[in-house]
Amino acid sequence: MKPHDWLQLTLFLAALVLLTPLLGRFMARVFSGEPHLLTKPLGWLERLIYRASGVDGTREMSWRGYAAALIAFNIAGCVLLAVIQMTQAWLPLNPTGLPNVPLDLAVNTAVSFMTNTNWQAYSGEATMSYFTQMAGLAVHNFTSAATGIAVALALTRGLARRTSATIGNFWADLTRSTLYVLLPLSLIFAVVLVQQGVVQTFAPYVTATTLEGAEQVIPLGPTASQIAIKQLGTNGGGFFGVNSAHPFENPTPFSNFLTMLAIFVIPSALVNMYGRLVGNQRQGWSIWAAMMALFLIGLGTMCWAEFQPNLPAAMEGKETRFGVFNSVLFATVTTDASCGAVNAMHDSLSPLAGLVAMVNMMLGEVVFGGVGAGLYGMLMFVLLTVFIAGLMVGRTPEYLGKKIEAAEIKWAVVAVLAPCVCILIGTAVSLANPVGTATLNNAGPHGLSEVLYAWTSAAANNGSAFAGIGVNNPFYNYGLTLAMFVGRFAVIIPALAIAGSLAAKKTAPASSGTFPTTGATFTLLLIAVVVIVGALTFLPALTLGPIVEHLLLQAGRTF
Amino acid sequence: MCESGDAIPSDGEVIEGIARVDESAITGESAPVIRESGGDRSAVTGGTRVLSDRIVVRITSEQGNTFIDRMISMVEGARRQKTPNEIALGILLVSLTAVFLLAVFTLPAFAHYSERAAEQSGVVNVSLPVLVALIVCLIPTTIGGLLSAIGISGIDRLVRRNVLATSGRAVEAAGDIDVLLLDKTGTITMGNRMAVAFHPAPGVSESDLAGAAQLASLADETPEGRSVFVLAKEKFNIRAREMNELSATFIPFTAQTRMSGVDVPAHEGRQATSVRKGAAQAVQAYIESLGGTYPPAVAKAVEEISRRGATPLVVSADECALGVIELKDIVKGGIRERFAQLRKMGIRTVMITGDNALTAGAIAAEAGVDDFMAQAAPEDKLQRIREEQAAGRLVAMTGDGTNDAPALAQADVGVAMNTGTQAAREAGNMVDLDSNPTKLIEIVEIGKQLLMTRGALTTFSIANDVAKYFAILPAMFLGLYAVSGSTVGPLAALNVMRLHSPQSAILSAVIFNALIIIALIPFALAGVKYRAEGAAAVLRRNVLIYGVGGVVAPFVGIKLIDIILVALRLA
């Protein structure tokens, strides 16, 4: 690592630390219904939306009601998105005349965008019309992120409320997070991106003649508006196939810096907001510290693996415009935060760096994680940590004064383990099945890594691709669809159930007999639980993938 | 009806008569106890024996649900109901098991792919025995197997302290207690007021006062009376005089006169005197009725003693007030330290007493309780418990009387004294056979110990798995991707323990797994050592011992077993 790499890392961390409490405070105000910066300019719009849709934003919902509204909203959006794709040839804003999307791909893409995964088995510029991109995919970039925030809010309320039967109103949370957080930030960010050189046009693709006289089609489109939310909402679905490695998506080092920051800023600020809403900022910072530590451990390992002096071909697949460090930092951020945008080929990362990318996702996308999803995912681990730690101090475990009992443990375990189950079974079935291994680009352990990565990315709702594997076929399209679906809702429903169960409980005041869930001991314990659960589940699989590949590479053997 | 020599057939209440009952069968205490109708000592237990006299008992328990029955079923633990905490832990362990099953049984698919990729065949050992060995090592059998043992040993530790819990749930709840309601009498103080000083009236020597006080207490068999007697003897070496030697008449204490004393007739040149001791107002009225004057100095002494929270007793001889005896509640030795410990554990203590606020405050300060309730009626206790519970706290209390029953039932942990009424014993969820209210503190410790042992073993058991992976995975994949001509592939690097061979590695891991369960049984029964300190400190220590220790121990253990196996040429 060179001095300017260190400088960039420092700037990145400083910007993140600075923005976290600012945005966290703003969101805490927005979601607790207090007056805030945007009440005056946009408050009328919120009320108008409620009136137009016949929603009473103040009507409180039970967790079942909340979950039902959330699922109905998501399923309806998903169906609509699939229909748009399959009829795009007949819809407007298709200047390039792209055909309708086939069923398996349409279903895969619809679920992918609904679940905030943005797994793309297609190349945007060659498959999706401007209309599909804007009215379909970009809309879901907003709603899936807003859904994540809503679940995180519901769980936060569950912890903060005392003996309450309700956990908030889904429609109000959805509207407020979109209107006051995601839209304004995206707007600002899109304008900055346009200034940096990201394209934003309805014009058809441009045909250019290259120096050699060959004809080249240069795809264009309303990109900046979509890239902004793709990063901020940790969606990651690129406008173009190569995602943030495309000069029209990510033109300059500054845009690269901002896109990385944009991935982390909302997940990080949500943790801060959480601390404020439960009435103790240190609760938020303790969780944040665990996330930051896991991020730095991952980044450190990746850098160590990539900056080996005698590693062959370290530049392969890297973002050559911004250098190895920016590829590595981007890869860590995007896999930590469940974003899935990429500016380098993860397939070409050295084995251990690829291992880190996978482990980041296998931990359950809780290292800042997806917008909202990172927070509620990490809170599941917090509950497990509190349970074990509570036993060790000789009290029935409690978190923020709420007793953690069988119901919470049951749901937390489901939330933590459901994605793991998808990854292991999906990978095993793919490897044992000729259809699953037919499209592999690489032999040897790297092939195993490619399959494992695909399932991990889908189940963790990350959406980044290791690539090196052809996944646009019915087997992977439907299989990964299922993984994305389970990986999303098998965490959301438990999170809401826990929210409901905790909201109904009494809050016991803390005493010196209750162990503190703030401070270094708790943070370390939380990190240990996250790592141990991940390690115990995936060590055998990782051994036969990136670990053995690394050992072989050291012995000078490649496949 | 039970007469001497009869065994009491079942649990019940004495409705007529009084008897000495041998309860050694349940308490282990050989001295018989008095059981009488009415009052707070009316409960009798089936299986105990009447030693003298005759009582009529109304049976209150159903067949098969008597005290003895419950005691047997608790100790047997056969139909032990799982506590909520055990259920939650069970869910966690079952889920972990499911994940391990999945991780292990997806391995053949990964392994066969790798064999094809390495263009090798038969180098990966994913045969069923190996997979089963791996699964047996990984799944949390240790804690799973010991869970019941931990629960039963908790109950057992209570029984050994002569406390019977009606459910394991109550024992666990004891560990969570935030507030302890303690009766002053018998728990915090010795139970009876004791004479500590004589304050003579002007013109009276202290020894004269002591002599008169002792005379007045001659026939007073109450502990208070005895204490006056003893104090006079200790301070002035005044020898006891015999009642019949003086042919004195004893004037017993009545609620109307609020005095007691003796009338000594004139004898051999000695004047007849009437010595009285009693409440200040009563004695004052008595003196004035005899035409004497009540000295202001005495009134002042009375007031001062009251202000200190002690009880004044005025002594008079005929129409002269001789002075005041100061009676004080003696706080039990060591109780202050106990409360300090409880505070460290995060438990607040509340003293409950029928005394006035002044007395209660003085004793509370001396004993170091956090709060007190003076002039508390049974309803006040119930009210206080409800308030604490509404604030989210768990409350424990002890009680014996029938009027305690509602509060005992309301409290999260109610410990009834065995000498108490049947109603109290039914209402509480524990019975202390020794009827020692201080035991609540030990019960709390046992409850905490129970949960800590569970947490420690769970952590230890899960932490163990790391080493087992490092023993078995390299053993399974040793030959994978080996260059031709070699049998050792790159994954041998994961064999960080440098175990001798794949066979010895798997065998060592399995043997370690079996041995560790045996090694931990005594630990599960004895429980984690409990020290009264803050939760953060306890957590740090236990994580270090059972978490970090749990990761390290199997590495050492498996390596040792491997060395032994190799030395014995078993692998």
Side-chain angles (χ1 to χ4, degrees), chain A residues 2 27 36 51 85 93 101 116 185 205 228-229 285 306 323 329 380 421 469 473 479 503 542:
Chain A
K2 303 202 176 65
M27 288 197 288
H36 53 86
R51 206 165 310 142
Q85 292 175 71
L93 280 179
V101 179
N116 198 264
L185 284 176
Y205 296 170
I229 185 62
W285 284 116
E306 286 295 330
L329 181 59
M380 300 294 120
V421 171
I469 170 176
N473 57 50
L542 290 171

mmCIF file of all heavy atoms in Angstrom, chain A residues 2 27 36 51 85 93 101 116 185 205 228-229 285 306 323 329 380 421 469 473 479 503 542:
data_model
loop_
_atom_site.group_PDB
_atom_site.id
_atom_site.type_symbol
_atom_site.label_atom_id
_atom_site.label_comp_id
_atom_site.label_asym_id
_atom_site.label_seq_id
_atom_site.Cartn_x
_atom_site.Cartn_y
_atom_site.Cartn_z
ATOM 1 N N LYS A 2 0.496 2.175 -0.839
ATOM 2 C CA LYS A 2 1.284 3.407 -0.958
ATOM 3 C C LYS A 2 0.685 4.481 -0.035
ATOM 4 O O LYS A 2 -0.445 4.340 0.433
ATOM 5 C CB LYS A 2 1.254 3.880 -2.399
ATOM 6 C CG LYS A 2 1.759 2.818 -3.372
ATOM 7 C CD LYS A 2 2.216 3.433 -4.659
ATOM 8 C CE LYS A 2 2.798 2.371 -5.571
ATOM 9 N NZ LYS A 2 1.750 1.382 -5.983
ATOM 10 N N MET A 27 -32.290 11.129 10.761
ATOM 11 C CA MET A 27 -33.243 10.023 10.599
ATOM 12 C C MET A 27 -34.015 9.766 11.891
ATOM 13 O O MET A 27 -35.200 9.440 11.867
ATOM 14 C CB MET A 27 -32.513 8.768 10.140
ATOM 15 C CG MET A 27 -32.053 8.864 8.694
ATOM 16 S SD MET A 27 -31.633 7.279 7.964
ATOM 17 C CE MET A 27 -30.120 6.921 8.806
ATOM 18 N N HIS A 36 -38.351 18.251 11.447
ATOM 19 C CA HIS A 36 -36.971 18.182 10.970
ATOM 20 C C HIS A 36 -36.812 19.107 9.771
ATOM 21 O O HIS A 36 -37.746 19.796 9.358
ATOM 22 C CB HIS A 36 -36.608 16.743 10.613
ATOM 23 C CG HIS A 36 -37.580 16.100 9.671
ATOM 24 N ND1 HIS A 36 -37.497 16.219 8.309
ATOM 25 C CD2 HIS A 36 -38.695 15.370 9.905
ATOM 26 C CE1 HIS A 36 -38.491 15.568 7.750
ATOM 27 N NE2 HIS A 36 -39.240 15.056 8.687
ATOM 28 N N ARG A 51 -53.277 10.798 1.748
ATOM 29 C CA ARG A 51 -54.659 11.057 1.375
ATOM 30 C C ARG A 51 -54.992 10.357 0.056
ATOM 31 O O ARG A 51 -56.025 9.721 -0.080
ATOM 32 C CB ARG A 51 -54.913 12.571 1.264
ATOM 33 C CG ARG A 51 -56.383 12.913 1.498
ATOM 34 C CD ARG A 51 -56.589 14.401 1.766
ATOM 35 N NE ARG A 51 -55.698 14.936 2.783
ATOM 36 C CZ ARG A 51 -55.146 16.143 2.726
ATOM 37 N NH1 ARG A 51 -55.372 16.940 1.681
ATOM 38 N NH2 ARG A 51 -54.365 16.572 3.695
ATOM 39 N N GLN A 85 -40.913 -6.206 -17.437
ATOM 40 C CA GLN A 85 -39.803 -6.770 -18.215
ATOM 41 C C GLN A 85 -40.312 -7.600 -19.378
ATOM 42 O O GLN A 85 -39.768 -7.542 -20.487
ATOM 43 C CB GLN A 85 -38.949 -7.676 -17.330
ATOM 44 C CG GLN A 85 -38.172 -6.963 -16.259
ATOM 45 C CD GLN A 85 -37.459 -7.971 -15.383
ATOM 46 O OE1 GLN A 85 -36.508 -8.595 -15.802
ATOM 47 N NE2 GLN A 85 -37.946 -8.142 -14.170
ATOM 48 N N LEU A 93 -40.234 4.283 -24.283
ATOM 49 C CA LEU A 93 -38.850 4.492 -23.848
ATOM 50 C C LEU A 93 -37.983 3.261 -24.100
ATOM 51 O O LEU A 93 -37.290 2.778 -23.209
ATOM 52 C CB LEU A 93 -38.803 4.876 -22.358
ATOM 53 C CG LEU A 93 -39.101 6.331 -22.030
ATOM 54 C CD1 LEU A 93 -39.045 6.564 -20.536
ATOM 55 C CD2 LEU A 93 -38.129 7.264 -22.738
ATOM 56 N N VAL A 101 -38.141 -9.677 -22.013
ATOM 57 C CA VAL A 101 -37.237 -10.519 -21.218
ATOM 58 C C VAL A 101 -37.905 -11.882 -21.008
ATOM 59 O O VAL A 101 -39.096 -11.932 -20.701
ATOM 60 C CB VAL A 101 -36.946 -9.841 -19.860
ATOM 61 C CG1 VAL A 101 -36.031 -10.695 -19.008
ATOM 62 C CG2 VAL A 101 -36.352 -8.460 -20.087
ATOM 63 N N ASN A 116 -33.639 -6.378 -2.667
ATOM 64 C CA ASN A 116 -32.457 -5.536 -2.464
ATOM 65 C C ASN A 116 -31.171 -6.299 -2.793
ATOM 66 O O ASN A 116 -30.097 -5.954 -2.343
ATOM 67 C CB ASN A 116 -32.407 -5.008 -1.017
ATOM 68 C CG ASN A 116 -31.478 -3.815 -0.891
ATOM 69 O OD1 ASN A 116 -30.325 -3.944 -0.535
ATOM 70 N ND2 ASN A 116 -31.977 -2.647 -1.224
ATOM 71 N N LEU A 185 -31.285 12.409 -0.733
ATOM 72 C CA LEU A 185 -29.872 12.035 -0.857
ATOM 73 C C LEU A 185 -29.534 11.623 -2.284
ATOM 74 O O LEU A 185 -28.501 12.005 -2.834
ATOM 75 C CB LEU A 185 -29.539 10.891 0.105
ATOM 76 C CG LEU A 185 -29.395 11.263 1.578
ATOM 77 C CD1 LEU A 185 -29.173 10.012 2.427
ATOM 78 C CD2 LEU A 185 -28.227 12.218 1.779
ATOM 79 N N TYR A 205 -28.642 4.630 -28.082
ATOM 80 C CA TYR A 205 -27.216 4.324 -28.042
ATOM 81 C C TYR A 205 -26.526 5.009 -29.212
ATOM 82 O O TYR A 205 -27.067 5.148 -30.300
ATOM 83 C CB TYR A 205 -26.982 2.803 -28.138
ATOM 84 C CG TYR A 205 -27.554 2.034 -26.960
ATOM 85 C CD1 TYR A 205 -27.608 0.646 -26.988
ATOM 86 C CD2 TYR A 205 -28.037 2.679 -25.824
ATOM 87 C CE1 TYR A 205 -28.124 -0.080 -25.933
ATOM 88 C CE2 TYR A 205 -28.553 1.960 -24.767
ATOM 89 C CZ TYR A 205 -28.604 0.587 -24.826
ATOM 90 O OH TYR A 205 -29.122 -0.124 -23.782
ATOM 91 N N ALA A 228 -27.167 6.684 -8.343
ATOM 92 C CA ALA A 228 -27.232 7.306 -7.016
ATOM 93 C C ALA A 228 -27.934 6.379 -6.034
ATOM 94 O O ALA A 228 -27.393 6.053 -4.967
ATOM 95 C CB ALA A 228 -27.956 8.643 -7.106
ATOM 96 N N ILE A 229 -29.129 5.919 -6.404
ATOM 97 C CA ILE A 229 -29.870 5.068 -5.466
ATOM 98 C C ILE A 229 -29.272 3.676 -5.400
ATOM 99 O O ILE A 229 -29.303 3.011 -4.360
ATOM 100 C CB ILE A 229 -31.380 5.025 -5.819
ATOM 101 C CG1 ILE A 229 -32.152 4.240 -4.761
ATOM 102 C CG2 ILE A 229 -31.616 4.431 -7.192
ATOM 103 C CD1 ILE A 229 -32.111 4.827 -3.382
ATOM 104 N N TRP A 285 -23.358 2.995 19.164
ATOM 105 C CA TRP A 285 -21.924 3.036 18.855
ATOM 106 C C TRP A 285 -21.245 1.704 19.137
ATOM 107 O O TRP A 285 -20.275 1.335 18.470
ATOM 108 C CB TRP A 285 -21.226 4.168 19.630
ATOM 109 C CG TRP A 285 -21.478 5.530 19.057
ATOM 110 C CD1 TRP A 285 -22.142 6.565 19.661
ATOM 111 C CD2 TRP A 285 -21.093 6.026 17.756
ATOM 112 N NE1 TRP A 285 -22.186 7.660 18.816
ATOM 113 C CE2 TRP A 285 -21.549 7.358 17.645
ATOM 114 C CE3 TRP A 285 -20.409 5.464 16.677
ATOM 115 C CZ2 TRP A 285 -21.350 8.145 16.509
ATOM 116 C CZ3 TRP A 285 -20.211 6.246 15.540
ATOM 117 C CH2 TRP A 285 -20.681 7.573 15.463
ATOM 118 N N GLU A 306 -3.680 -9.047 -1.411
ATOM 119 C CA GLU A 306 -3.496 -8.449 -2.733
ATOM 120 C C GLU A 306 -2.137 -7.793 -2.902
ATOM 121 O O GLU A 306 -1.677 -7.612 -4.022
ATOM 122 C CB GLU A 306 -4.599 -7.418 -2.994
ATOM 123 C CG GLU A 306 -5.955 -8.039 -3.294
ATOM 124 C CD GLU A 306 -5.952 -8.843 -4.591
ATOM 125 O OE1 GLU A 306 -5.185 -8.501 -5.515
ATOM 126 O OE2 GLU A 306 -6.715 -9.823 -4.676
ATOM 127 N N GLY A 323 -6.569 1.898 -9.522
ATOM 128 C CA GLY A 323 -5.530 1.196 -8.790
ATOM 129 C C GLY A 323 -6.059 0.041 -7.953
ATOM 130 O O GLY A 323 -7.273 -0.083 -7.724
ATOM 131 N N LEU A 329 -10.724 -1.851 -1.717
ATOM 132 C CA LEU A 329 -11.625 -1.145 -0.801
ATOM 133 C C LEU A 329 -13.065 -1.269 -1.279
ATOM 134 O O LEU A 329 -13.985 -1.548 -0.505
ATOM 135 C CB LEU A 329 -11.210 0.332 -0.711
ATOM 136 C CG LEU A 329 -12.038 1.205 0.228
ATOM 137 C CD1 LEU A 329 -11.987 0.660 1.652
ATOM 138 C CD2 LEU A 329 -11.541 2.650 0.213
ATOM 139 N N MET A 380 -30.022 -9.468 15.351
ATOM 140 C CA MET A 380 -30.248 -10.897 15.595
ATOM 141 C C MET A 380 -29.024 -11.489 16.310
ATOM 142 O O MET A 380 -29.142 -12.258 17.251
ATOM 143 C CB MET A 380 -30.456 -11.655 14.277
ATOM 144 C CG MET A 380 -31.629 -11.197 13.442
ATOM 145 S SD MET A 380 -33.207 -11.509 14.233
ATOM 146 C CE MET A 380 -33.831 -9.870 14.344
ATOM 147 N N VAL A 421 -28.408 -22.027 5.345
ATOM 148 C CA VAL A 421 -28.978 -23.253 4.793
ATOM 149 C C VAL A 421 -29.056 -23.147 3.272
ATOM 150 O O VAL A 421 -28.673 -24.067 2.537
ATOM 151 C CB VAL A 421 -30.381 -23.501 5.407
ATOM 152 C CG1 VAL A 421 -31.088 -24.636 4.697
ATOM 153 C CG2 VAL A 421 -30.243 -23.782 6.894
ATOM 154 N N ILE A 469 -18.943 -17.677 -14.069
ATOM 155 C CA ILE A 469 -19.928 -18.754 -14.114
ATOM 156 C C ILE A 469 -21.152 -18.213 -14.831
ATOM 157 O O ILE A 469 -21.586 -17.093 -14.577
ATOM 158 C CB ILE A 469 -20.264 -19.238 -12.687
ATOM 159 C CG1 ILE A 469 -21.457 -20.193 -12.684
ATOM 160 C CG2 ILE A 469 -20.546 -18.078 -11.769
ATOM 161 C CD1 ILE A 469 -21.764 -20.761 -11.315
ATOM 162 N N ASN A 473 -29.385 -19.247 -16.858
ATOM 163 C CA ASN A 473 -30.090 -20.433 -17.339
ATOM 164 C C ASN A 473 -31.144 -20.780 -16.304
ATOM 165 O O ASN A 473 -31.039 -20.331 -15.153
ATOM 166 C CB ASN A 473 -29.109 -21.582 -17.580
ATOM 167 C CG ASN A 473 -28.315 -21.932 -16.330
ATOM 168 O OD1 ASN A 473 -28.883 -22.122 -15.262
ATOM 169 N ND2 ASN A 473 -27.000 -21.995 -16.464
ATOM 170 N N GLY A 479 -33.158 -21.243 -9.081
ATOM 171 C CA GLY A 479 -32.521 -21.620 -7.806
ATOM 172 C C GLY A 479 -32.103 -20.401 -7.005
ATOM 173 O O GLY A 479 -32.413 -20.275 -5.813
ATOM 174 N N ALA A 503 -41.837 -5.797 21.928
ATOM 175 C CA ALA A 503 -42.648 -4.606 22.217
ATOM 176 C C ALA A 503 -43.641 -4.903 23.331
ATOM 177 O O ALA A 503 -43.945 -4.044 24.155
ATOM 178 C CB ALA A 503 -43.369 -4.141 20.964
ATOM 179 N N LEU A 542 -15.390 -23.586 2.730
ATOM 180 C CA LEU A 542 -14.318 -22.660 2.352
ATOM 181 C C LEU A 542 -12.977 -23.384 2.222
ATOM 182 O O LEU A 542 -12.133 -23.005 1.423
ATOM 183 C CB LEU A 542 -14.201 -21.530 3.386
ATOM 184 C CG LEU A 542 -15.369 -20.548 3.390
ATOM 185 C CD1 LEU A 542 -15.269 -19.603 4.573
ATOM 186 C CD2 LEU A 542 -15.409 -19.754 2.088
#
